[in-house]
Amino acid sequence: MSIKKIITITFGIISVCLISILFAILSLQQSQEELIKIDDRRLNSLLVADELRQSSDDLTRLARLYVVTKEMEPNNAKEYLREYNAILDIRSGKVPRPQDYRYIFWDFAAVEGKNPTPDSAEKKSLHDMMVELGFTNEEMSLLDESTTKSNGLVNTEVIAMNLADGKIGPAERAAMHARENPRDAAIRLMHDGTYMQNKAEIMKPINVFMKKLDARTGAEVIAAQKKVDRMIILAIMLIVVEIIACAILITYCYRCILRGIDQLSEKFKELSRSGGDLRKSVDIKADNEIGVLAGYINDFIAERRQIVTSIVTETKAGHRAAIMLNQSTVKLSDEIKHIADISEGVAAGTEETSASANEMKTTAAKMTDAVDMVTESSDRGIQTSKAGQKRTEELRNNFAVSLAEANKIFDQVK
């Protein structure tokens, strides 16, 4: 596999792993945010449900205080009535909700004579808040049942407070016993068994509602927490897979690339230390660019080895040509000596002149053949060795001089 392909595959695998980890982290973050939202919704749902229960208790407490303190402490009774009506208005969404209303509120208001915190900009009924929090139909039906019964209890409380105020109407007369004064009737209505029974009937659906709400929201929180745990495990697994994949890919890249480069470097060092010994080669077999490079280097070494071999062969051939040149020179020298001997014997007689002239012609022809042979040999030497070329040129010059002298002697004899 080529290095380029290895790097591409490695980059692709690492990119996929990183994208998967990023996706897992984003999913984990979303799951955590969802868990926080569900947990907040659970808390707010419980607070709203508790506000319904607490407001019912506050209404009972304030109505009782009002009917008891109306005659002895009219100013306090007036504050209790204000708080009573304020609870009803806040619960129905007629007035803005006070800030920090979820904390202890009306106990401080009764002491201070005013609300402990100012109003907020939120004007929303408990019913609307429950709808926004996603209460189920079953839960809402329980709250509606409790609200209906609570409205009936509010009517009893209103009758009792009217009796305490001396406002006697048909409903108030029907609630009074024979020879019972209005104040005693008001106190009895707020504390008798019927009132407590009605109070319990209001709290029964609220109690069931809170149990169901707690179970539902708790299950939602657990499911969200499990999802977060799964995403954490997935993220950890992906990180482990990424580490393992990187380790495998790095090891593979080292074996395929770095080790091949190291081997190639060592082979170059061996060639350098051996003084460029062309008998050695790079023995690396790899199906990648390293193997291709090693093949190119081996081809280069083989080509240089062939060139050197050719040079050695041609050098040997030049050496043989030089030997031949030397032999031809000796032969030519003998022929020139023979010509000189013939020249000395020219005066011996006219009869021998013609024969000697013919012999000189023959000798000259042989000299010409010898020079041609020397020339041919020198031509071969020129092609194979620069040193032989220089020597051959010198010999050819000498041969030319010798040939000129031979021709001169031949002309004189003729």
Side-chain angles (χ1 to χ4, degrees):
M1 186 181 298
S2 65
I3 296 175
K4 182 178 180 181
K5 191 172 183 180
I6 293 173
I7 294 175
T8 301
I9 294 174
T10 302
F11 179 77
I13 293 174
I14 293 176
S15 299
V16 170
C17 292
L18 289 176
I19 292 173
S20 300
I21 292 174
L22 180 61
F23 175 77
I25 292 174
L26 292 176
S27 299
L28 175 60
Q29 183 179 1
Q30 292 177 353
S31 299
Q32 289 176 333
E33 292 175 354
E34 182 179 357
L35 174 60
I36 293 173
K37 290 180 180 179
I38 292 174
D39 198 28
D40 289 342
R41 187 165 63 244
R42 168 181 166 82
L43 176 61
N44 292 328
S45 299
L46 293 174
L47 289 174
V48 169
D50 186 69
E51 181 181 335
L52 178 63
R53 179 194 62 78
Q54 184 62 43
S55 64
S56 179
D57 289 342
D58 288 336
L59 290 173
T60 298
R61 178 175 59 82
L62 292 170
R64 285 175 174 176
L65 286 171
Y66 180 80
V67 299
V68 171
T69 62
K70 174 63 178 177
E71 289 185 1
M72 296 179 294
E73 298 179 356
N75 290 331
N76 290 338
K78 183 179 180 180
E79 174 61 22
Y80 299 149
L81 181 60
R82 182 194 73 82
E83 294 176 8
Y84 183 92
N85 292 326
I87 291 173
L88 292 176
D89 291 339
I90 292 171
R91 193 165 70 174
S92 62
K94 292 181 180 180
V95 297
R97 296 174 62 83
Q99 297 178 8
D100 299 329
Y101 191 59
R102 65 179 60 183
Y103 303 119
I104 297 174
F105 191 85
W106 295 115
D107 291 332
F108 298 143
V111 174
E112 298 174 1
K114 62 179 182 179
N115 292 351
T117 59
D119 293 340
S120 67
E122 184 180 21
K123 191 176 180 180
K124 191 178 298 182
S125 67
L126 274 179
H127 183 273
D128 293 338
M129 294 172 65
M130 293 174 181
V131 172
E132 289 181 358
L133 290 169
F135 284 17
T136 63
N137 293 331
E138 182 181 7
E139 293 167 350
M140 293 300 295
S141 64
L142 290 171
L143 293 177
D144 291 340
E145 179 184 354
S146 177
T147 301
T148 301
K149 293 180 179 181
S150 178
N151 291 334
L153 193 62
V154 168
N155 291 332
T156 300
E157 293 168 349
V158 171
I159 291 173
M161 288 187 289
N162 287 335
L163 288 171
D165 291 338
K167 299 176 181 179
I168 309 300
E172 286 74 17
R173 291 192 183 94
M176 295 175 61
H177 291 171
R179 293 184 298 276
E180 186 179 30
N181 62 53
R183 182 175 182 274
D184 292 339
I187 295 174
R188 176 183 56 78
L189 286 175
M190 293 302 301
H191 294 86
D192 63 2
T194 302
Y195 184 86
M196 298 306 298
Q197 182 65 35
N198 291 334
K199 182 73 173 179
E201 291 297 324
I202 293 173
M203 291 300 168
K204 281 181 181 179
I206 292 179
N207 189 50
V208 175
F209 161 76
M210 294 191 72
K211 288 181 179 180
K212 289 183 175 296
L213 176 65
D214 183 59
R216 176 179 64 81
T217 56
E220 290 176 351
V221 171
I222 293 173
Q225 184 63 54
K226 288 182 178 179
K227 184 178 180 180
V228 171
D229 294 339
R230 288 195 298 270
M231 297 309 301
I232 291 174
I233 294 173
L234 177 61
I236 294 174
M237 291 177 61
L238 288 173
I239 291 173
V240 172
V241 171
E242 171 78 4
I243 294 173
I244 295 174
C246 288
I248 294 174
L249 292 171
I250 290 172
T251 302
Y252 182 75
C253 289
Y254 172 77
R255 290 181 178 178
C256 295
I257 301 175
L258 298 180
R259 191 169 67 177
I261 294 174
D262 290 339
Q263 291 177 350
L264 192 61
S265 177
E266 288 297 325
K267 292 298 182 180
F268 274 119
K269 288 181 181 179
E270 291 179 5
L271 288 173
S272 177
R273 291 168 184 170
S274 63
D277 189 353
L278 298 179
R279 293 173 295 179
K280 295 183 178 181
S281 61
V282 179
D283 187 15
I284 296 177
K285 295 180 179 179
D287 189 16
N288 53 31
E289 288 82 351
I290 300 297
V292 174
L293 180 59
Y296 288 154
I297 293 172
N298 288 331
D299 293 341
F300 177 80
I301 293 173
E303 183 180 353
R304 293 303 176 270
R305 187 189 302 121
Q306 184 178 0
I307 292 173
V308 172
T309 301
S310 177
I311 291 173
V312 172
T313 302
E314 296 297 334
T315 302
K316 291 180 179 179
H319 179 67
R320 289 193 298 269
I323 294 174
M324 293 176 62
L325 285 172
N326 185 45
Q327 293 175 352
S328 299
T329 302
V330 173
K331 184 176 181 181
L332 182 59
S333 178
D334 292 340
E335 294 295 337
I336 292 172
K337 184 178 180 181
H338 183 61
I339 292 171
D341 291 339
I342 293 173
S343 299
E344 292 177 356
V346 170
T350 305
E351 293 180 359
E352 298 179 1
T353 300
S354 178
S356 297
N358 291 331
E359 187 176 355
M360 282 187 77
K361 289 182 180 180
T362 301
T363 301
K366 291 180 179 181
M367 288 174 63
T368 302
D369 294 337
V371 170
D372 292 338
M373 181 176 63
V374 172
T375 302
E376 182 179 356
S377 298
S378 65
D379 290 338
R380 288 197 303 270
I382 288 172
Q383 297 175 359
T384 58
S385 173
K386 291 183 178 180
Q389 180 182 4
K390 184 177 179 181
R391 178 60 178 165
T392 302
E393 290 295 334
E394 294 176 355
L395 292 175
R396 289 185 66 175
N397 291 333
N398 294 333
F399 295 156
V401 174
S402 299
L403 183 59
E405 292 294 333
N407 288 330
K408 184 178 179 180
I409 294 171
F410 177 76
D411 291 338
Q412 291 175 355
V413 172
K414 185 177 179 181

